[in-house]
Amino acid sequence: MTANKSDRVTRETAATRHVGFTVNGQYHEFRVGSGGIEISPTHTLSWTLREVLGLMGTKVSCDSGACGSCTVIMDGKAVLSCKVLTIECDGKTITTIEGLRDPKTGALDPIQQSFIDHTAFQCGYCTPGMIMTAKAFLNENPQPTEEEIKDALSGNFCRCISHYQVIRAVMSVVEKEGEHGR
Amino acid sequence: MKQFEHHDALSIEEAVALLSDYEGKAKIIAGGTDLLGALRDEVFLEYPEALINIKTIDGLDYIRSDEKGLAIGAMAGLADIVKSPVVKKEYQMLAEAAYSVATPQIRNMATIGGNLAQDVRCWFYRYPRRIGGPMVCLRKGGKFCSALAGDNRYHSIFGAAALSDISLDLGKVRKGCFAVGPSDIAVALIAMDASIVTTKRSLPAELFFKATALSSTVLDSDELVKEIEIPKLPMGAVQRYDKFTLRKPIDFAVVSVASMLTLNNGVCEDARIVLGAVAPEPVRARKAEQVMKGRIVDEDVALEAAEHALAGSSPLRMNEYKVEIAKVLVKHAIWG
Ligand SMILES: Cc1cc2nc3c(=O)[nH]c(=O)nc-3n(C[C@@H](O)[C@@H](O)[C@H](O)COP(=O)(O)OP(=O)(O)OC[C@H]3O[C@@H](n4cnc5c(N)ncnc54)[C@H](O)[C@@H]3O)c2cc1C
Ligand code: FES
Ligand code: FES
């Protein structure tokens, strides 16, 4: 027996749909709807992170998938939160710039510290996206070449031309890790 | 974004059923990298009532190879295609085309099915509604293509796509849409003689892309791409994908060329040369292919083929340069 439209639609909408996901180690569950704290099907993840969860570290610049400033890590991969629907995040694990700090000691992530040490920003608007992209990349490839870093960060644009310092900051993390490994 | 309903499909059958329930007023969402931009900017003639999410369908993201060739599920991610050892080794043109798409983050999200079904990128069509209202081009119910009067540096050099799909001599149609086919993967698939399997049919990639001023593919509103099949490439085939852009990451092609040459002791046995971003659909350069067959490939043959590939082009006011770029790319594809 094939379900008709009303059955299909009922299954999803009327039976109060929920979306639950983990952000920086904290689980959040929302009802789908159009009320104040509900998730509308049209909400993007960047909107939910900023406007609902108050995590303002994730920046929205182009809102068109073209600049990388809204990058977060979802299930280990760098993705653009302005091109993700929150309603499609059920079961996902998300890390934003606020979640990089060591939860116990409060110490910054080595990439964050290196950005500070190398002054790898001016206005700082692109910086969270740069750091999250670099973080996901180094998790996958801890000992990359400079070319590989440039390639990994090729989707992150900076209006203030911090790119040179950014590459140096990331390279320096890689070099330090290499020394520890030895 | 304006409101829409949202459904997670759990099977292909359910997705198709939902699409037909909405009678053409629902859209599939795969990676969302193309669709969400179009929704945000409200560029569609009709805003969809619902999105049908197909990321919730299991097992559609495979990349499988056997002695017949390669089979790729519609939900395979572009990043996974780029990384796939078998694609890198035997189908490197596909790896190159996939790698040339957008940025690392977008390739992490984008699917191959979505790449083939993506909407055109013409800047008049895509102009955001909230910034001073929509540009009412031919695709949005206007009387003519805005590229005819406006800045058309990135538009077609091979004529327009007619409003409906009545076949007309493309070179002469003025009343049509001059937006070019945006997909990089499309160009490579045609050069590799791939087939596209949908929920209704299986057809050569070349026939899948069929541009009108309303759509770029033959897909019906309740039809899904399921799989892409690439036959094993002939022994000795030389594959190549070249894409000319202004900035390497992010930009769509100004012109691209995918080529597969089968050589035997320097003699061309077979050639497939496909040009992207020069016309509403990818263009197979059949005459160029023919003049090469049976001849020893050298620089003169390459130059001759390049002339043939662009014969019959009819550039607009601002895009004659694309003809020259395309010739250079074709020449490079044949003779380094
Ligand atoms: C900044 C930027 C740069 C880009 N650069 C490039 C580029 O250089 N080259 C290029 O080729 N593309 C480029 N793109 C377009 C990019 O979005 C696509 O390449 C991507 O592959 C689309 O896949 P998706 O899964 O995200 O599709 P979606 O956005 O989910 O879908 C796109 C369209 O296809 C339909 N669709 C999706 N899957 C299916 C299916 N299985 N069957 C039928 N219909 C389906 C959807 O309904 C929708 O209309 C760029 C996009 C952005 C935002
Ligand atoms: S804000 Fe998401 S890519 Fe620019
Ligand atoms: S530091 Fe200003 S945009 Fe990058």
Side-chain angles (χ1 to χ4, degrees):
Chain A
M1 198 181 74
T2 53
N4 62 29
K5 176 180 176 182
S6 54
D7 287 346
R8 276 189 291 271
V9 173
T10 311
R11 170 166 68 71
E12 292 200 317
T13 43
T16 357
R17 194 171 160 191
H18 286 81
V19 184
F21 48 87
T22 304
V23 182
N24 303 333
Q26 171 86 44
Y27 183 74
H28 300 273
E29 189 164 295
F30 299 99
R31 224 178 31 216
V32 174
S34 50
I37 48 155
E38 292 176 328
I39 293 297
S40 151
T42 61
H43 286 171
T44 57
L45 178 59
S46 55
W47 198 91
T48 304
L49 289 172
R50 291 177 55 87
E51 308 299 330
V52 181
L53 298 178
L55 297 170
M56 295 294 186
T58 300
K59 304 298 179 201
V60 175
S61 181
C62 70
D63 203 18
S64 297
C67 76
S69 78
C70 66
T71 304
V72 299
I73 303 179
M74 186 189 274
D75 291 348
K77 287 185 183 165
V79 300
L80 303 174
S81 59
C82 75
K83 285 283 158 281
V84 172
L85 291 178
T86 308
I87 198 172
E88 296 180 356
C89 291
D90 198 46
K92 303 281 184 202
T93 301
I94 295 155
T95 309
T96 69
I97 189 77
E98 289 91 344
L100 286 191
R101 187 189 273 271
D102 187 310
K104 292 209 184 76
T105 65
L108 291 181
D109 185 271
I111 304 180
Q112 290 176 299
Q113 190 57 52
S114 189
F115 268 62
I116 295 171
D117 296 343
H118 290 83
T119 327
F121 42 76
Q122 285 189 47
C123 79
Y125 207 79
C126 67
T127 312
M130 293 273 188
I131 293 179
M132 297 316 287
T133 310
K135 181 75 190 166
F137 174 64
L138 292 188
N139 282 345
E140 231 173 70
N141 184 356
Q143 285 296 310
T145 62
E146 185 169 324
E147 276 316 301
E148 287 170 332
I149 293 173
K150 286 183 185 165
D151 188 67
L153 288 169
S154 63
N156 292 79
F157 283 68
C158 172
R159 287 192 322 181
C160 309
I161 329 185
S162 72
H163 298 102
Y164 300 99
Q165 286 80 1
V166 166
I167 305 290
R168 229 177 293 147
V170 180
M171 266 317 276
S172 145
V173 174
V174 170
E175 281 155 14
K176 279 198 191 134
E177 285 290 312
E179 279 162 24
H180 285 304
R182 242 171 264 150
Chain B
M1 276 182 272
K2 283 205 314 202
Q3 283 305 318
F4 44 75
E5 291 167 24
H6 184 280
H7 303 281
D8 288 332
L10 300 179
S11 66
I12 293 182
E13 295 70 35
E14 191 188 6
V16 170
L18 280 161
L19 282 175
S20 33
D21 288 343
Y22 280 97
E23 296 170 344
K25 294 191 173 128
K27 279 199 170 283
I28 293 292
I29 176 164
T33 60
D34 177 52
L35 182 67
L36 292 180
L39 291 179
R40 191 195 73 135
D41 296 336
E42 294 177 36
V43 303
F44 295 128
L45 196 52
E46 250 185 294
Y47 196 85
E49 276 176 21
L51 298 193
I52 317 297
N53 179 20
I54 57 173
K55 286 186 285 297
T56 36
I57 304 177
D58 274 339
L60 263 186
D61 58 354
Y62 53 88
I63 303 174
R64 276 189 223 124
S65 95
D66 61 19
E67 66 287 351
K68 280 189 289 181
L70 193 70
I72 305 178
M75 292 302 287
L78 297 188
D80 295 322
I81 292 172
V82 173
K83 278 190 219 143
S84 155
V86 59
V87 176
K88 267 201 270 195
K89 183 156 166 271
E90 293 179 46
Y91 305 89
Q92 60 280 21
M93 181 189 339
L94 176 63
E96 282 167 33
Y99 174 73
S100 84
V101 172
T103 65
Q105 291 97 319
I106 289 182
R107 292 195 295 276
N108 278 343
M109 308 163 77
T111 66
I112 188 167
N115 189 276
L116 302 182
Q118 68 176 295
D119 207 354
V120 296
R121 282 280 160 173
C122 163
W123 50 27
F124 300 107
Y125 172 62
R126 288 275 183 154
Y127 192 81
R129 179 180 286 263
R130 69 187 178 289
I131 310 179
M135 293 211 178
V136 185
C137 72
L138 191 66
R139 282 181 177 258
K140 294 191 215 166
K143 289 216 164 51
F144 60 91
C145 172
S146 310
L148 278 174
D151 188 328
N152 48 33
R153 72 184 80 176
Y154 297 131
H155 289 81
S156 169
I157 53 172
F158 277 103
L163 234 192
S164 66
D165 59 1
I166 326 158
S167 71
L168 291 160
D169 176 5
L170 278 191
K172 296 197 184 95
V173 180
R174 284 280 143 174
K175 197 165 178 279
C177 166
F178 284 85
V180 295
S183 164
D184 284 302
I185 309 284
V187 187
L189 290 186
I190 296 174
M192 292 188 287
D193 200 12
S195 300
I196 314 249
V197 184
T198 75
T199 45
K200 293 190 177 174
R201 50 195 146 172
S202 166
L203 73 178
E206 206 172 342
L207 302 181
F208 176 80
F209 301 97
K210 186 146 166 282
T212 71
L214 296 175
S215 71
S216 307
T217 70
V218 297
L219 287 176
D220 292 334
S221 63
D222 61 346
E223 186 175 8
L224 254 77
V225 175
K226 283 201 302 194
E227 185 179 87
I228 290 90
E229 292 174 355
I230 307 175
K232 216 164 185 68
L233 305 186
M235 287 288 282
V238 183
Q239 334 161 31
R240 193 166 162 148
Y241 185 75
D242 280 318
K243 171 172 170 180
F244 182 88
T245 56
L246 297 183
R247 302 176 299 179
K248 195 166 141 297
I250 289 217
D251 278 4
F252 285 84
V254 173
V255 178
S256 66
V257 171
S259 59
M260 192 169 73
L261 311 181
T262 316
L263 303 177
N264 189 351
N265 286 326
V267 177
C268 175
E269 288 187 335
D270 195 16
R272 289 176 75 93
I273 300 174
V274 186
L275 279 67
V278 294
E281 334 173 326
V283 173
R284 182 123 176 245
R286 285 180 195 281
K287 266 200 203 135
E289 294 171 1
Q290 269 155 24
V291 298
M292 294 177 58
K293 279 183 204 163
R295 289 169 68 184
I296 293 186
V297 175
D298 59 16
E299 189 166 10
D300 287 340
V301 170
L303 285 169
E304 198 184 319
E307 288 301 322
H308 280 294
L310 275 299
S313 60
S314 54
L316 302 167
R317 193 168 43 90
M318 293 178 71
N319 65 11
E320 210 167 336
Y321 74 100
K322 286 179 66 162
V323 177
E324 295 312 311
I325 291 173
K327 282 185 192 167
V328 171
L329 290 191
V330 173
K331 192 208 144 200
H332 272 298
I334 300 166
W335 190 251

Short mmCIF file of all heavy atoms in Angstrom, two decimals, chain B residues 157-193:
data_model
loop_
_atom_site.label_atom_id
_atom_site.label_comp_id
_atom_site.label_asym_id
_atom_site.label_seq_id
_atom_site.Cartn_x
_atom_site.Cartn_y
_atom_site.Cartn_z
N ILE B 157 28.47 32.13 -26.41
CA ILE B 157 29.00 32.55 -27.71
C ILE B 157 28.43 31.64 -28.82
O ILE B 157 28.87 31.71 -29.96
CB ILE B 157 30.54 32.53 -27.75
CG1 ILE B 157 31.09 31.17 -27.30
CG2 ILE B 157 31.12 33.65 -26.92
CD1 ILE B 157 32.60 31.00 -27.50
N PHE B 158 27.50 30.79 -28.43
CA PHE B 158 26.87 29.90 -29.42
C PHE B 158 25.36 30.06 -29.42
O PHE B 158 24.63 29.10 -29.54
CB PHE B 158 27.24 28.44 -29.15
CG PHE B 158 28.58 28.02 -29.69
CD1 PHE B 158 29.68 27.89 -28.85
CD2 PHE B 158 28.75 27.78 -31.06
CE1 PHE B 158 30.92 27.49 -29.36
CE2 PHE B 158 29.99 27.38 -31.57
CZ PHE B 158 31.08 27.24 -30.71
N GLY B 159 24.88 31.28 -29.27
CA GLY B 159 23.44 31.50 -29.36
C GLY B 159 22.70 31.20 -28.08
O GLY B 159 23.30 30.89 -27.04
N ALA B 160 21.38 31.28 -28.15
CA ALA B 160 20.55 31.22 -26.95
C ALA B 160 19.77 29.93 -26.87
O ALA B 160 19.57 29.24 -27.86
CB ALA B 160 19.59 32.40 -26.96
N ALA B 161 19.31 29.62 -25.67
CA ALA B 161 18.39 28.51 -25.46
C ALA B 161 16.98 29.05 -25.67
O ALA B 161 16.61 30.06 -25.09
CB ALA B 161 18.54 27.95 -24.06
N ALA B 162 16.22 28.36 -26.51
CA ALA B 162 14.88 28.84 -26.81
C ALA B 162 14.00 28.76 -25.57
O ALA B 162 14.26 27.99 -24.65
CB ALA B 162 14.28 28.02 -27.93
N LEU B 163 12.94 29.57 -25.59
CA LEU B 163 12.04 29.60 -24.43
C LEU B 163 11.45 28.23 -24.14
O LEU B 163 11.45 27.75 -23.03
CB LEU B 163 10.91 30.58 -24.72
CG LEU B 163 10.68 31.68 -23.69
CD1 LEU B 163 9.39 32.40 -23.95
CD2 LEU B 163 10.80 31.21 -22.27
N SER B 164 10.92 27.60 -25.16
CA SER B 164 10.43 26.24 -24.96
C SER B 164 11.45 25.32 -25.61
O SER B 164 12.45 25.78 -26.13
CB SER B 164 9.08 26.06 -25.62
OG SER B 164 9.25 26.17 -27.00
N ASP B 165 11.20 24.02 -25.62
CA ASP B 165 12.23 23.16 -26.18
C ASP B 165 11.98 22.80 -27.65
O ASP B 165 12.47 21.80 -28.13
CB ASP B 165 12.45 21.92 -25.31
CG ASP B 165 11.19 21.11 -25.15
OD1 ASP B 165 10.17 21.52 -25.74
OD2 ASP B 165 11.22 20.11 -24.44
N ILE B 166 11.22 23.62 -28.36
CA ILE B 166 11.09 23.41 -29.80
C ILE B 166 12.49 23.59 -30.35
O ILE B 166 13.15 24.57 -30.05
CB ILE B 166 10.23 24.50 -30.48
CG1 ILE B 166 9.12 24.97 -29.55
CG2 ILE B 166 9.76 24.09 -31.86
CD1 ILE B 166 8.60 26.34 -29.91
N SER B 167 12.95 22.64 -31.17
CA SER B 167 14.35 22.78 -31.56
C SER B 167 14.48 23.79 -32.70
O SER B 167 13.78 23.75 -33.70
CB SER B 167 14.92 21.42 -31.96
OG SER B 167 14.36 21.02 -33.17
N LEU B 168 15.36 24.72 -32.46
CA LEU B 168 15.61 25.79 -33.42
C LEU B 168 17.11 25.83 -33.64
O LEU B 168 17.87 25.35 -32.81
CB LEU B 168 15.16 27.12 -32.83
CG LEU B 168 13.65 27.28 -32.68
CD1 LEU B 168 13.33 28.37 -31.68
CD2 LEU B 168 13.01 27.62 -34.01
N ASP B 169 17.52 26.39 -34.74
CA ASP B 169 18.95 26.51 -35.00
C ASP B 169 19.53 27.46 -33.96
O ASP B 169 19.32 28.67 -34.00
CB ASP B 169 19.16 27.06 -36.42
CG ASP B 169 20.62 27.30 -36.69
OD1 ASP B 169 21.44 26.95 -35.81
OD2 ASP B 169 20.94 27.83 -37.75
N LEU B 170 20.27 26.89 -33.00
CA LEU B 170 20.74 27.67 -31.86
C LEU B 170 21.47 28.96 -32.26
O LEU B 170 21.31 29.99 -31.65
CB LEU B 170 21.67 26.83 -30.99
CG LEU B 170 20.97 25.90 -30.02
CD1 LEU B 170 21.97 25.32 -29.04
CD2 LEU B 170 19.88 26.64 -29.25
N GLY B 171 22.27 28.87 -33.32
CA GLY B 171 23.06 30.02 -33.72
C GLY B 171 22.21 31.24 -34.04
O GLY B 171 22.66 32.37 -33.88
N LYS B 172 21.00 31.03 -34.46
CA LYS B 172 20.22 32.17 -34.93
C LYS B 172 19.16 32.67 -33.95
O LYS B 172 18.61 33.73 -34.13
CB LYS B 172 19.53 31.79 -36.25
CG LYS B 172 20.54 31.51 -37.34
CD LYS B 172 19.91 31.54 -38.72
CE LYS B 172 20.94 31.16 -39.78
NZ LYS B 172 20.87 29.73 -40.10
N VAL B 173 18.91 31.87 -32.92
CA VAL B 173 17.85 32.29 -32.00
C VAL B 173 18.29 33.50 -31.20
O VAL B 173 19.28 33.47 -30.48
CB VAL B 173 17.49 31.16 -31.02
CG1 VAL B 173 16.39 31.62 -30.07
CG2 VAL B 173 17.03 29.96 -31.78
N ARG B 174 17.61 34.58 -31.32
CA ARG B 174 17.91 35.76 -30.53
C ARG B 174 16.96 35.83 -29.35
O ARG B 174 17.27 36.31 -28.30
CB ARG B 174 17.78 37.02 -31.40
CG ARG B 174 18.94 37.22 -32.33
CD ARG B 174 20.13 37.82 -31.60
NE ARG B 174 21.38 37.27 -32.09
CZ ARG B 174 22.57 37.69 -31.70
NH1 ARG B 174 22.68 38.66 -30.83
NH2 ARG B 174 23.66 37.14 -32.18
N LYS B 175 15.74 35.36 -29.61
CA LYS B 175 14.77 35.41 -28.54
C LYS B 175 14.94 34.14 -27.71
O LYS B 175 14.31 33.13 -27.94
CB LYS B 175 13.36 35.48 -29.11
CG LYS B 175 12.36 35.94 -28.08
CD LYS B 175 11.06 36.37 -28.72
CE LYS B 175 10.06 36.79 -27.67
NZ LYS B 175 9.38 35.71 -27.02
N GLY B 176 15.85 34.17 -26.80
CA GLY B 176 16.12 33.03 -25.96
C GLY B 176 17.03 33.48 -24.85
O GLY B 176 17.34 34.66 -24.74
N CYS B 177 17.47 32.52 -24.02
CA CYS B 177 18.29 32.85 -22.85
C CYS B 177 19.75 32.55 -23.17
O CYS B 177 20.08 31.45 -23.60
CB CYS B 177 17.80 32.04 -21.66
SG CYS B 177 18.93 32.05 -20.28
N PHE B 178 20.62 33.52 -22.90
CA PHE B 178 22.04 33.40 -23.23
C PHE B 178 22.90 32.91 -22.06
O PHE B 178 24.13 32.95 -22.14
CB PHE B 178 22.58 34.73 -23.75
CG PHE B 178 22.18 35.01 -25.17
CD1 PHE B 178 20.95 35.61 -25.44
CD2 PHE B 178 22.99 34.66 -26.23
CE1 PHE B 178 20.55 35.85 -26.75
CE2 PHE B 178 22.60 34.90 -27.54
CZ PHE B 178 21.38 35.50 -27.81
N ALA B 179 22.27 32.49 -20.97
CA ALA B 179 23.05 31.98 -19.83
C ALA B 179 23.75 30.69 -20.25
O ALA B 179 23.22 29.92 -21.05
CB ALA B 179 22.14 31.70 -18.65
N VAL B 180 24.95 30.47 -19.72
CA VAL B 180 25.69 29.26 -20.09
C VAL B 180 25.47 28.16 -19.06
O VAL B 180 25.16 28.43 -17.90
CB VAL B 180 27.21 29.53 -20.22
CG1 VAL B 180 27.48 30.49 -21.36
CG2 VAL B 180 27.79 30.06 -18.91
N GLY B 181 25.65 26.92 -19.47
CA GLY B 181 25.58 25.78 -18.56
C GLY B 181 26.70 25.92 -17.54
O GLY B 181 27.85 26.06 -17.93
N PRO B 182 26.39 25.87 -16.25
CA PRO B 182 27.39 26.16 -15.22
C PRO B 182 28.21 24.95 -14.75
O PRO B 182 29.26 25.11 -14.15
CB PRO B 182 26.55 26.67 -14.05
CG PRO B 182 25.24 25.95 -14.19
CD PRO B 182 25.03 25.74 -15.67
N SER B 183 27.73 23.74 -15.02
CA SER B 183 28.32 22.57 -14.35
C SER B 183 29.66 22.15 -14.96
O SER B 183 29.77 21.91 -16.16
CB SER B 183 27.34 21.40 -14.44
OG SER B 183 27.99 20.18 -14.16
N ASP B 184 30.66 22.02 -14.11
CA ASP B 184 31.96 21.51 -14.55
C ASP B 184 31.89 20.01 -14.79
O ASP B 184 32.49 19.48 -15.73
CB ASP B 184 33.03 21.78 -13.48
CG ASP B 184 33.48 23.23 -13.48
OD1 ASP B 184 33.95 23.69 -14.53
OD2 ASP B 184 33.34 23.90 -12.45
N ILE B 185 31.17 19.31 -13.92
CA ILE B 185 31.11 17.85 -14.02
C ILE B 185 30.45 17.44 -15.34
O ILE B 185 30.85 16.46 -15.97
CB ILE B 185 30.31 17.26 -12.84
CG1 ILE B 185 30.81 17.81 -11.51
CG2 ILE B 185 30.34 15.73 -12.87
CD1 ILE B 185 32.08 17.23 -10.99
N ALA B 186 29.44 18.20 -15.76
CA ALA B 186 28.71 17.87 -16.98
C ALA B 186 29.67 17.74 -18.17
O ALA B 186 29.58 16.79 -18.96
CB ALA B 186 27.68 18.98 -17.27
N VAL B 187 30.58 18.68 -18.27
CA VAL B 187 31.49 18.73 -19.42
C VAL B 187 32.38 17.48 -19.44
O VAL B 187 32.55 16.84 -20.48
CB VAL B 187 32.33 20.03 -19.34
CG1 VAL B 187 33.17 20.21 -20.59
CG2 VAL B 187 31.42 21.24 -19.13
N ALA B 188 32.89 17.12 -18.26
CA ALA B 188 33.75 15.94 -18.17
C ALA B 188 32.96 14.66 -18.48
O ALA B 188 33.45 13.77 -19.17
CB ALA B 188 34.38 15.86 -16.78
N LEU B 189 31.73 14.59 -17.97
CA LEU B 189 30.95 13.35 -18.17
C LEU B 189 30.67 13.12 -19.65
O LEU B 189 30.69 11.98 -20.12
CB LEU B 189 29.63 13.42 -17.40
CG LEU B 189 29.72 13.34 -15.87
CD1 LEU B 189 28.32 13.28 -15.26
CD2 LEU B 189 30.55 12.14 -15.42
N ILE B 190 30.40 14.18 -20.38
CA ILE B 190 30.12 14.00 -21.81
C ILE B 190 31.39 13.52 -22.52
O ILE B 190 31.34 12.62 -23.35
CB ILE B 190 29.56 15.29 -22.43
CG1 ILE B 190 28.21 15.63 -21.79
CG2 ILE B 190 29.42 15.15 -23.95
CD1 ILE B 190 27.61 16.94 -22.21
N ALA B 191 32.53 14.09 -22.15
CA ALA B 191 33.78 13.66 -22.79
C ALA B 191 34.07 12.19 -22.48
O ALA B 191 34.64 11.48 -23.29
CB ALA B 191 34.93 14.55 -22.34
N MET B 192 33.64 11.73 -21.31
CA MET B 192 33.89 10.33 -20.94
C MET B 192 32.78 9.41 -21.41
O MET B 192 32.79 8.22 -21.08
CB MET B 192 34.08 10.21 -19.42
CG MET B 192 35.36 10.87 -18.95
SD MET B 192 35.70 10.55 -17.21
CE MET B 192 34.50 11.59 -16.47
N ASP B 193 31.81 9.94 -22.13
CA ASP B 193 30.69 9.16 -22.65
C ASP B 193 29.90 8.47 -21.52
O ASP B 193 29.52 7.31 -21.63
CB ASP B 193 31.18 8.12 -23.66
CG ASP B 193 30.05 7.65 -24.56
OD1 ASP B 193 28.98 8.30 -24.55
OD2 ASP B 193 30.23 6.64 -25.26
#
